[in-house]
Amino acid sequence: MTNTLQTKASDLDAIAETGPVIAEGVDQEPVENNRRLFTGPRMIAVAILATLYAGFHMAALNGISISAWTGIDLPLLPQFPLETWNFRIVHIAGALVLGFVLYASYTWKEDAEAPKDTALLSKAGYALFIPAALALWSALSFGRLIDSGTLPEMGGLVSWAAFPGTEIYETEIWNFGVPLLVATFGAIILGWFERKPRDSFATSDLVLALCAIVVAAYLVPIFSTAARNSVGTPFVPIGVAFAATAGTAMIMELTRRVAGLALVIITGVFLVYTFTAHLLPGILAVRNPYTWQRFFGHLYSDAGILGPTTAVSSTYIILFIIFAAFLQASKVGDYFVNFAFAAAGRARGGPAKVAIFASGLMGMINGTSAGNVVATGSLTIPLMKKVGYHKKTAGAVEAAASTGGQIMPPIMGAGAFIMAEITGIPYQDIASAAIIPAILYFVSVYFMVDLEAAKLGMRGMREDELPKLALLLKQVYLFLPILILIYALFQGYSVIRAGTLATLSAAVISWMPVLMVRFFPQSLPAASVAGMGPREILKAFELAGIMAIQIIAVCACAGVIVGVISLTGVGARFSSLLLDLAGVSQVLALFFAMCIAILLGMGMPTTAAYAVAASVVAPGLVELGIPQLTAHFFVFYFAVVSAITPPVALASYAAAGISGANAMETSVTSFKIGIAAFIVPFMFFYNSALLMDGTTLEILRAGATAIFGVFLLSSGVQGWFMGARNPWFLRAILIAAALFMIEGGLLTDLIGLGGAVGVYVIQKLFHPKADAQIDVKGLD
């Protein structure tokens, strides 16, 4: 992927030399180095699978029943609404099938030799289909037995007597569980060594896809029986533990392939903790050890993998991924970036301002930091380097700007949907509360970038290098899908209905250029004319199915950690620790909560980081008396900025791949650029008006003083204030003044304002040099 992006970057340098910067290809989904590139019948088969997967969710979420429409009752036609657990099980299984087919366990490098085809190993792998097929046959047999009406009922539910000594128990072990684990772990290990051409299926991946189907084929009928009530107890059917073990292993393997090792390692630590907690001291200890059967029987339930993280990924997240795919198909991303260039490119350090503006716009439709970096950074980073930014600074600016996309309403990062699920606070309220924090984040990055440009005397981009704003304003209707989404949300529509309406509007609005050219031939260039027909709509669903794989895998993997926390109660013990710290100092407790959220976020996607932190840290903050929304937003904000916090900063690493800079230097620089954003959560802790909790006057005053405080902090960090460089002691005064602005009280605001005025007066009267020192005399 890095090589592809660097090629695009060099192309853009050439474009900038010869004419205006016109963004093209922003909407194209980047191709990862381990993603297979199929051709011919294989490509068609995978495209159909991805389209059906995304279409299934759109139909299910809107209650569309094919069986009800056709009047034909066939087992393969979905009938909605599906039972909640069944829907989530199918949701995960589909992502696993699609993920293993598309993503290999190894990477292809463009400048390296293709890995040798291990044909003999692949043929040996066919043997794994035998235990997988046996497990599938057994799962289907269990389903037929449950539907046969021959089993006794208990409380209106069919009983599933899989107790030791019964025939069902033995069958679950030897005909289902053991074959399933042999096939699953055998295929995972085989995948580490098997090598196939990039346009071919790997035997191990096909076995894993089949095993994912087996897990769903077993759990769906079993959870329809009274056995579901035994989940989390020692009496859970042993087949559930087998299925959960295989499912967890596949989720972790797919997460490794699509999101890297960090989350997998952290999940592994939590799994080891589960079985060793009874040996540990202090708050980590549990009284009695957990058996393998009880733990994994608990894990694949709504207290774990099927809990809040998957509840959100199977509803809100995939719906908005479909919405984003429709916007990409209608080229809205290209328009956003071109609009940002036209609006902000003339300012000093122009491409850096464009990066902030474009990232904010793209953040409305793209809820991942690294994805935002890739989408906009391939354009902005080379241009930042061209106008004088160091390559590490160029990458850092884009990383810091793109990270803010996850707190930019209306489509915030997936963590915001999880917040709504966990807290019960309507998503509309969360999106409203995010407005000022999002503005503060982007304002803080803007100030850092602007002051850097002022120090270095940078210019903006020339008029002939930029797209024509007048032409872009004629296409402003491309913002309509997002405006429709916002309007529907705040008119009381459900998130599902609002997202569906916005998705449909994206398809309709894509035809606006066609109509404009037809009736006003001079209004738009012919190249910009495109409408979404059936082919493009199906392509959008296909793109959505593929885009969803990573976030679904990450959410399911985070669900494993949540399951461990819920079973062991370690979250409650951390809450009591926070309460103890608060007895010493509430600020100390908040600082500890911040460190935990950032540490969890190092290397983990924001979604997983927030899900875990919300289980461990947020309950303790609520017990301190902090309002629920403030507590969860505090944790969420730091989970977001962990993407630019060294040593493991995912957004910074993605930007470094484009800029060609050292990844660690880029992450340190992005941390510096985003440093002002780290005080924002403390601001809305001290002043809830920043989360829209207060009168209009209180909210406006809080927003204004917070922006001024962020400006002072940025000036202090950059050493540039009101047109002049500052010595260290004036910078210290500016930073102290900024910190006084945090609390939001009248006295502290006046002190902060007084400090800023004092620095300005000293600058004007004494003109201290940037390297000036304060002489200390008389100590001898």
Side-chain angles (χ1 to χ4, degrees), residues 638-777:
F638 282 117
V640 168
V641 298
S642 67
I644 55 169
T645 307
V648 184
L650 294 181
S652 302
Y653 288 0
I658 302 171
S659 68
N662 177 274
M664 184 56 65
E665 288 182 353
T666 302
S667 63
V668 171
T669 307
S670 61
F671 174 75
K672 176 189 172 184
I673 290 171
I675 190 70
F678 282 77
I679 69 166
V680 172
F682 291 94
M683 285 182 170
F684 56 68
F685 164 72
Y686 282 109
N687 192 348
S688 61
L690 292 175
L691 296 179
M692 298 293 184
D693 181 16
T695 65
T696 303
L697 183 62
E698 288 173 340
I699 292 170
L700 290 175
R701 175 177 165 273
T705 56
I707 290 173
F708 186 66
V710 166
F711 169 70
L712 293 180
L713 183 61
S714 301
S715 299
V717 172
Q718 289 286 33
W720 183 273
F721 181 67
M722 304 302 288
R725 289 179 179 268
N726 302 125
W728 67 268
F729 52 88
L730 291 186
R731 294 171 69 176
I733 294 173
L734 287 172
I735 293 173
L739 296 178
F740 271 106
M741 303 295 289
I742 289 178
E743 190 169 345
L746 181 60
L747 178 61
T748 53
D749 285 349
L750 289 174
I751 293 173
L753 184 62
V757 170
V759 171
Y760 180 73
V761 170
I762 292 171
Q763 279 186 184
K764 289 298 180 182
L765 293 180
F766 300 102
H767 307 288
K769 295 181 180 180
D771 57 353
Q773 302 292 324
I774 297 177
D775 293 331
V776 179
K777 299 179 180 179

Side-chain angles (χ1 to χ4, degrees), residues 290-350:
Y290 298 104
T291 64
W292 161 79
Q293 183 175 346
R294 181 186 175 190
F295 171 68
F296 280 100
H298 162 86
L299 196 58
Y300 232 93
S301 71
D302 60 359
I305 292 172
L306 303 182
T309 53
T310 296
V312 169
S313 74
S314 64
T315 50
Y316 307 132
I317 291 175
I318 194 164
L319 176 67
F320 283 108
I321 286 175
I322 294 171
F323 175 51
F326 270 69
L327 289 178
Q328 288 188 21
S330 57
K331 304 297 181 185
V332 169
D334 287 349
Y335 175 74
F336 279 175
V337 176
N338 281 324
F339 191 87
F341 271 108
R346 297 170 186 79
R348 61 188 179 196

Side-chain angles (χ1 to χ4, degrees), residues 507-521:
V508 173
I509 289 166
S510 70
W511 286 94
M512 287 286 287
V514 178
L515 296 174
M516 289 186 69
V517 168
R518 181 170 188 136
F519 296 105
F520 307 99

Side-chain angles (χ1 to χ4, degrees), residues 112-163:
E113 291 185 15
K116 294 182 178 179
D117 188 349
T118 54
L120 188 61
L121 198 60
S122 297
K123 290 178 181 177
Y126 285 124
L128 293 173
F129 279 108
I130 298 173
L134 175 59
L136 178 61
W137 176 259
S138 300
L140 295 175
S141 299
F142 294 149
R144 286 196 300 270
L145 178 60
I146 291 167
D147 289 337
S148 66
T150 59
L151 296 176
E153 292 191 3
M154 183 172 61
L157 295 173
V158 176
S159 63
W160 185 249
F163 302 114

Side-chain angles (χ1 to χ4, degrees), residues 163-189:
F163 302 114
T166 62
E167 182 181 350
I168 293 178
Y169 180 82
E170 297 297 323
T171 305
E172 282 196 328
I173 293 177
W174 302 111
N175 291 5
F176 172 74
V178 172
L180 176 60
L181 292 189
V182 169
T184 300
F185 286 99
I188 289 173
I189 295 170

Side-chain angles (χ1 to χ4, degrees), residues 436-639:
I436 295 179
I439 291 172
L440 289 175
Y441 183 92
F442 282 103
V443 162
S444 70
V445 176
Y446 182 91
F447 284 148
M448 293 293 289
V449 165
D450 185 61
L451 296 172
E452 177 81 6
K455 279 198 305 182
L456 299 177
M458 290 180 178
R459 68 169 180 87
M461 298 174 70
R462 297 190 310 272
E463 187 76 28
D464 61 345
E465 294 177 313
L466 298 169
K468 302 299 181 186
L469 184 60
L471 180 63
L472 291 170
L473 288 174
K474 294 178 181 178
Q475 295 175 277
V476 75
Y477 54 79
L478 289 173
F479 280 103
L480 278 176
I482 293 175
L483 295 177
I484 288 171
L485 172 65
I486 295 170
Y487 178 79
L489 283 173
F490 289 98
Q491 283 298 307
Y493 285 85
S494 69
V495 176
I496 299 295
R497 185 55 52 88
T500 303
L501 289 173
T503 302
L504 294 174
S505 71
V508 173
I509 289 166
S510 70
W511 286 94
M512 287 286 287
V514 178
L515 296 174
M516 289 186 69
V517 168
R518 181 170 188 136
F519 296 105
F520 307 99
Q522 303 302 318
S523 61
L524 294 173
S528 68
V529 176
M532 290 185 69
R535 183 190 296 269
E536 289 77 18
I537 289 173
L538 290 175
K539 185 67 179 177
F541 275 113
E542 176 198 343
L543 178 63
I546 295 171
M547 288 167 60
I549 293 171
Q550 183 190 49
I551 192 66
I552 293 169
V554 165
C555 285
C557 201
V560 176
I561 300 175
V562 172
V564 171
I565 292 170
S566 66
L567 183 66
T568 60
V570 68
R573 293 193 288 278
F574 266 103
S575 296
S576 65
L577 178 62
L578 279 180
L579 283 171
D580 293 340
L581 283 173
V584 178
S585 167
Q586 202 168 42
V587 175
L588 183 62
L590 287 172
F591 180 78
F592 179 74
M594 176 192 77
C595 292
I596 294 293
I598 291 175
L599 284 171
L600 288 171
M602 286 186 181
M604 288 172 66
T606 302
T607 309
Y610 168 70
V612 177
S615 300
V616 175
V617 180
L621 296 179
V622 173
E623 288 187 35
L624 294 179
I626 298 172
Q628 188 180 43
L629 178 61
T630 304
H632 280 267
F633 232 103
F634 185 91
V635 171
F636 176 61
Y637 203 100
F638 282 117

